[in-house]
Amino acid sequence: MASRFGKFVVGGLAASLLTLLPGPSAAEQASATLRVTLRVVASCSVQTQPLALSDYTSGGQATGTASPGAIDVTCARGTPAAVYLEGNRTLQGPSGDRVAYEVRANGAPWRAGEAIHVKGMGQTPVHLALSGSVPAGQKVAMGDYEDQVVVRVVY
């Protein structure tokens, strides 16, 4: 039994000595604040769907919309924007004749040079439903008439 007791004494003494020895000191610390910034810039995009006017009889009665068009303007949330339709609101035919037409956005007349003011809603586009008409009494040659209108969004 003495040998067992000796092992415990030696083992216990070694453990006690280890606790008395100085261990690694606590690490020093320093801290600072990291500033993280972001600038969200104004941005807009625009998509269109064609507007088709009803068939027109030369010199005849006014006609309306055969197939409504659309303009969808998507801007960063809160971004104010002005939407313009450039051009002189005339369709050109194969013989060079021109036919005047009118455009309405969401039911209201949209005259040449006027802007429709919108405010960005983030991922949700501002939808402008387009309709149009051809005033009566325009005497022009038969054929297909077309106008290529630039939609300009200023923000």
Side-chain angles (χ1 to χ4, degrees), residues 57-68:
T57 301
S58 181
Q61 298 297 314
T63 63
T65 303
S67 177

Side-chain angles (χ1 to χ4, degrees), residues 15-38:
S16 296
L17 288 174
L18 286 175
T19 58
L20 296 176
L21 294 174
S25 62
E28 296 297 322
Q29 293 186 20
S31 65
T33 301
L34 171 64
R35 183 172 177 236
V36 178
T37 63
L38 167 69

Side-chain angles (χ1 to χ4, degrees), residues 56-129:
Y56 181 76
T57 301
S58 181
Q61 298 297 314
T63 63
T65 303
S67 177
I71 297 173
D72 289 319
V73 179
T74 305
C75 294
R77 185 173 306 281
T79 302
V83 183
Y84 294 90
L85 285 183
E86 297 184 346
N88 60 7
R89 304 286 201 284
T90 61
L91 303 145
Q92 184 171 350
S95 66
D97 285 350
R98 292 192 170 272
V99 174
Y101 67 95
E102 298 166 350
V103 176
R104 286 179 296 287
N106 298 337
W110 192 358
R111 291 174 183 80
E114 291 182 352
I116 293 179
H117 297 278
V118 299
K119 190 172 226 178
M121 299 187 306
Q123 298 294 324
T124 304
V126 175
H127 182 75
L128 302 175

Side-chain angles (χ1 to χ4, degrees), residues 128-139:
L128 302 175
L130 303 180
S131 59
S133 61
V134 175
Q138 300 181 66
K139 295 181 181 174

